[in-house]
Amino acid sequence: MSTELAALAARLDGAQQDAAAIEQLSAGGALDLSDAYAVQHALLTRRISRGERAVGLKLGFTSRAKAVQMGVDDIILGSLTDGMRISDGGAFDPASAIHPRIEPEVAYLLDPEDPTRVTAVAPALEIIDSRYRDFRFDLSDVVADNTSACAFVIGEWRDPAEVGPLGNRAVLLEIDGRLVQTGSTAAILGDPARAPQAALRLASAQGFPAHAGGILLAGAATAAVEVPAQGVVEATITGLGRVSVRIERSIR
């Protein structure tokens, strides 16, 4: 990796650790997509060097609503670490992020020996937090920024055969019991069952390990909403279950 790309990764890493927004990388000149993924890999390496462990992958912009919201139209791939994971019902501190947003997703667990095989499925929440000012970016910016990955929560894993097809299940997103978004799993690539194959294709093209820890977040089923200062955010997917996170701001 070039010194220039390593420096871009260091800027993004510092922005994440300090919870302080930076200017878009593209403001200093366009990045091509291969360089953007190289920056993302360098970001992951920096996190691993601090003791985190890669546990999965995430797809971005699989929802048309999300793509429109963010002004981009390509599917992208990001990395998950154990440092991003929050237990179901656990707490997230919004002070640890810049301008966090949250969205409901479907999570898949892939067989580490055969990543084309799904062994379990669960409802999930993803918290995203662009490190760029005003949550604005182009495609290469967001890829370099690890697809705005911040934190994720996974509900109870279930047997895919027991759950059945997930192609058009109702999705609800609530904050303190107040409905803030509704959607369908069909918003995820038309059917979230397409997500594992899409992830493996991108992983092969962009140099990610095929299994990468086994977890796959398939993408958002609704547009993201701002994380509240406090409260409980809960997602429900019909026939799959519920998952929640408590928002608790620390005193700093």
Side-chain angles (χ1 to χ4, degrees):
M1 169 179 284
S2 71
T3 302
E4 180 182 0
L5 294 181
L8 295 180
R11 282 182 61 199
L12 285 166
D13 192 38
Q16 183 271 320
Q17 292 190 82
D18 297 338
I22 61 172
E23 188 175 40
Q24 291 75 10
L25 300 187
S26 57
L31 280 178
D32 64 31
L33 204 55
S34 62
D35 282 347
Y37 274 110
V39 172
Q40 183 189 138
H41 288 312
L43 270 177
L44 180 63
T45 297
R46 293 175 72 91
R47 296 187 74 131
I48 289 172
S49 72
R50 294 195 291 268
E52 295 183 42
R53 179 173 55 89
V55 297
L57 298 171
K58 55 162 286 192
L59 286 172
F61 305 132
T62 54
S63 161
R64 180 60 183 163
K66 182 64 184 299
V68 169
Q69 184 185 32
M70 292 290 99
V72 298
D73 57 11
D74 286 348
I75 297 170
I76 54 177
L77 192 66
S79 303
L80 302 172
T81 73
D82 58 349
M84 301 175 190
R85 187 165 186 175
I86 300 170
S87 61
D88 189 9
F92 172 75
D93 179 6
S96 67
I98 302 166
H99 29 214
R101 302 178 182 181
I102 192 164
E103 54 197 24
E105 305 208 9
V106 173
Y108 290 100
L109 190 61
L110 308 182
D111 186 332
E113 301 299 322
D114 178 8
T116 65
R117 178 174 171 263
V118 173
T119 60
V121 63
L125 288 164
E126 185 185 6
I127 297 171
I128 56 174
D129 183 38
S130 173
R131 267 54 71 165
Y132 302 119
R133 293 172 186 164
D134 304 318
F135 220 113
R136 296 180 62 86
F137 42 74
D138 67 14
L139 186 65
S140 291
D141 282 328
V142 70
V143 167
D145 190 26
N146 194 24
T147 68
S148 303
C150 178
F152 66 97
V153 190
I154 296 178
E156 181 182 357
W157 290 111
R158 297 184 59 187
D159 183 339
E162 174 189 315
V163 172
L166 286 170
N168 188 20
R169 302 288 185 94
V171 180
L172 306 178
L173 184 65
E174 298 173 292
I175 297 178
D176 289 336
R178 175 176 58 88
L179 187 64
V180 294
Q181 284 284 337
T182 62
S184 167
T185 53
I188 305 169
L189 296 173
D191 183 336
R194 297 182 177 129
Q197 190 59 43
L200 291 176
R201 173 178 55 81
L202 282 171
S204 176
Q206 301 299 342
F208 292 79
H211 61 85
I215 295 170
L216 173 64
L217 295 184
T222 72
V225 301
E226 291 185 9
V227 168
Q230 63 180 18
V232 175
V233 182
E234 183 175 73
T236 304
I237 301 177
T238 298
L240 184 57
R242 297 185 177 190
V243 59
S244 69
V245 63
R246 290 179 289 111
I247 310 301
E248 295 182 354
R249 183 175 291 272
S250 65
I251 299 174
R252 297 195 174 199

